[in-house]
Amino acid sequence: MPDAVEMEFPNPKIVAGLQVRDPEFLDILGSSPKLVELVKTDAHEGGAWYPDKDEFYFSSNKLTSSTGQIKTDLKKVNLRTRNVTNLSAPENNTPNGMVLDNDGNLVVCQQGSLNQGGFIQRINLKTMKNTVVADNWFGVPFNSPNDAVVKRDGSIWFTDPSYGSVQGFRSTPKVNNQVYRISNIGVVDAVADGFTQPNGLAFSHDEKHLYVTDTGFAVGVQGKYDATKPHSITVFDVGVDGFLTNRRLFASVGVYDGSYPGLGVPDGIKVDTQERVYVSTVDGVQVFNQLGKPLGLIRQPSVSNMGFAGRNLDTLYILNDTTISYVQLQVRAAGLKYAGSSH
């Protein structure tokens, strides 16, 4: 690794499976970065660390050969024992992204089914009692909620693309694909639209900016892409009233080596306390500085999501449908109020 410091930039260089595009990436990686496989499992979305029991919650996403339908499950892995547990759920539940709220409850994006609209669910991880936080906007059912974040004030923000309908387990959408906010008293507001398929979202450390990924390039059917659709990250300013202004492009995501499918699919997104942005995509986890400049790549094929964990919130766990792997970084994750406090 010491030789890496002497590399010339800006031409991308590969160090032990880590592609460095800017010297700042070396500060993130530290002196001896190593990507380690934690467990083989069908981990697709989620990536929420529960510090009380050192458990990492995630969802699976499988195409069943018998029915041709997407089947999803809510699961957890104990980071000490590496044991994976499948948590029982009602038949109509189709969990996707998730996050801990400020009280340590698990907030899950449930995509719904042909018989039930999508909804946002809260699970008390001590009792496993679950409640529905919201399931509609002005009486209109959600499409297929995808990912969520919780602001310091307790409000829940989530994306609502139409992948459920595309993949055949949800009915035709009755509303545009939007980004929503749920207040502490349960009021649902649409805060952004104009996306093809809004997907991951994350606040900056100071919560003055909101990042939203758009994976419209990925049609929603395995192996099919539309190069005319977005593969990008949008950033908004967050007003004191909680509404969004000054929409702009943060980054358009490609593939570092130009391999198939040629363009990126920016799915999950996280931010550290130095306002650097981490995005899961087809060639791994791409990292950008706060201005949208690419810094480097943690190479891992077909990464769908990720999550920070550990006492110092410095270990990034990476999900790619077949494994959960991790790498310890020289950073601290932002936006994890409950996990970042002492328990």
Side-chain angles (χ1 to χ4, degrees):
M1 190 64 193
D3 292 338
V5 180
E6 300 174 4
M7 290 178 178
E8 295 182 358
F9 298 90
N11 294 329
K13 304 293 180 181
I14 298 176
V15 182
L18 304 164
Q19 195 158 343
V20 182
R21 186 161 178 156
D22 185 275
E24 185 180 346
F25 196 46
L26 297 174
D27 297 332
I28 295 171
L29 298 176
S31 60
S32 55
K34 185 179 181 182
L35 186 63
V36 180
E37 182 179 294
L38 176 75
V39 65
K40 292 185 185 298
T41 185
D42 53 348
H44 181 72
E45 288 283 354
W49 180 55
Y50 183 47
D52 299 43
K53 296 186 177 180
D54 202 16
E55 295 171 337
F56 192 76
Y57 284 78
F58 62 95
S59 62
S60 65
N61 190 344
K62 295 187 296 184
L63 183 68
T64 58
S65 57
S66 59
T67 65
Q69 298 295 311
I70 298 292
K71 183 180 186 301
T72 63
D73 292 300
L74 177 61
K75 299 183 178 183
K76 66 179 180 179
V77 58
N78 186 290
L79 299 183
R80 293 188 301 271
T81 66
R82 304 190 181 196
N83 289 333
V84 176
T85 304
N86 191 347
L87 304 174
S88 59
E91 182 180 351
N92 286 338
N93 282 11
T94 48
N96 203 345
M98 62 198 71
V99 65
L100 287 191
D101 69 14
N102 297 337
D103 296 317
N105 302 302
L106 189 67
V107 174
V108 183
C109 292
Q110 294 283 359
Q111 300 172 90
S113 66
L114 290 173
N115 302 317
Q116 181 179 12
F119 59 99
I120 302 301
Q121 180 185 53
R122 178 181 279 118
I123 303 174
N124 183 319
L125 295 180
K126 293 181 172 64
T127 65
M128 298 310 293
K129 179 181 178 181
N130 68 82
T131 56
V132 174
V133 181
D135 61 4
N136 72 91
W137 174 66
F138 287 103
V140 180
F142 299 136
N143 297 331
S144 46
N146 188 281
D147 211 350
V149 289
V150 176
K151 209 163 178 273
R152 291 191 190 102
D153 65 6
S155 58
I156 299 169
W157 300 57
F158 69 96
T159 55
D160 190 35
S162 54
Y163 280 130
S165 176
V166 173
Q167 294 168 355
F169 63 87
R170 280 286 288 119
S171 56
T172 302
K174 294 179 174 58
V175 65
N176 289 337
N177 298 336
Q178 302 188 124
V179 178
Y180 296 95
R181 180 191 61 209
I182 308 173
S183 74
N184 289 328
I185 59 172
V187 176
V188 180
D189 286 306
V191 293
D193 66 0
F195 297 95
T196 302
Q197 296 287 9
N199 204 312
L201 74 173
F203 285 104
S204 60
H205 180 48
D206 59 11
E207 295 189 338
K208 292 182 178 180
H209 303 101
L210 178 69
Y211 302 92
V212 182
T213 70
D214 192 335
T215 52
F217 170 63
V219 175
V221 178
Q222 189 172 10
K224 292 188 177 182
Y225 302 93
D226 184 344
T228 67
K229 295 298 191 288
H231 43 91
S232 57
I233 307 165
T234 295
V235 60
F236 299 86
D237 293 339
V238 183
V240 293
D241 57 0
F243 285 92
L244 305 177
T245 60
N246 194 21
R247 176 184 184 138
R248 57 204 182 274
L249 176 71
F250 175 76
S252 186
V253 179
V255 179
Y256 265 52
D257 63 5
S259 61
Y260 182 83
L263 299 173
V265 183
D267 194 332
I269 184 167
K270 308 297 178 188
V271 179
D272 70 23
T273 56
Q274 298 301 309
E275 307 295 2
R276 291 172 295 223
V277 176
Y278 302 72
V279 179
S280 59
T281 184
V282 293
D283 57 355
V285 177
Q286 295 188 20
V287 185
F288 301 81
N289 72 5
Q290 61 182 326
L291 299 177
K293 180 181 181 180
L295 301 180
L297 170 72
I298 302 171
R299 186 173 293 282
Q300 181 82 327
S302 305
V303 176
S304 50
N305 219 317
M306 62 198 155
F308 280 96
R311 181 179 298 275
N312 298 315
L313 297 178
D314 58 356
T315 304
L316 184 64
Y317 286 81
I318 300 170
L319 292 63
N320 77 338
D321 282 317
T322 60
T323 64
I324 299 177
S325 301
Y326 65 91
V327 58
Q328 187 171 6
L329 304 173
Q330 303 303 305
V331 303
R332 183 177 179 85
L336 301 176
K337 182 177 178 180
Y338 185 82
S341 59
S342 299
H343 298 286

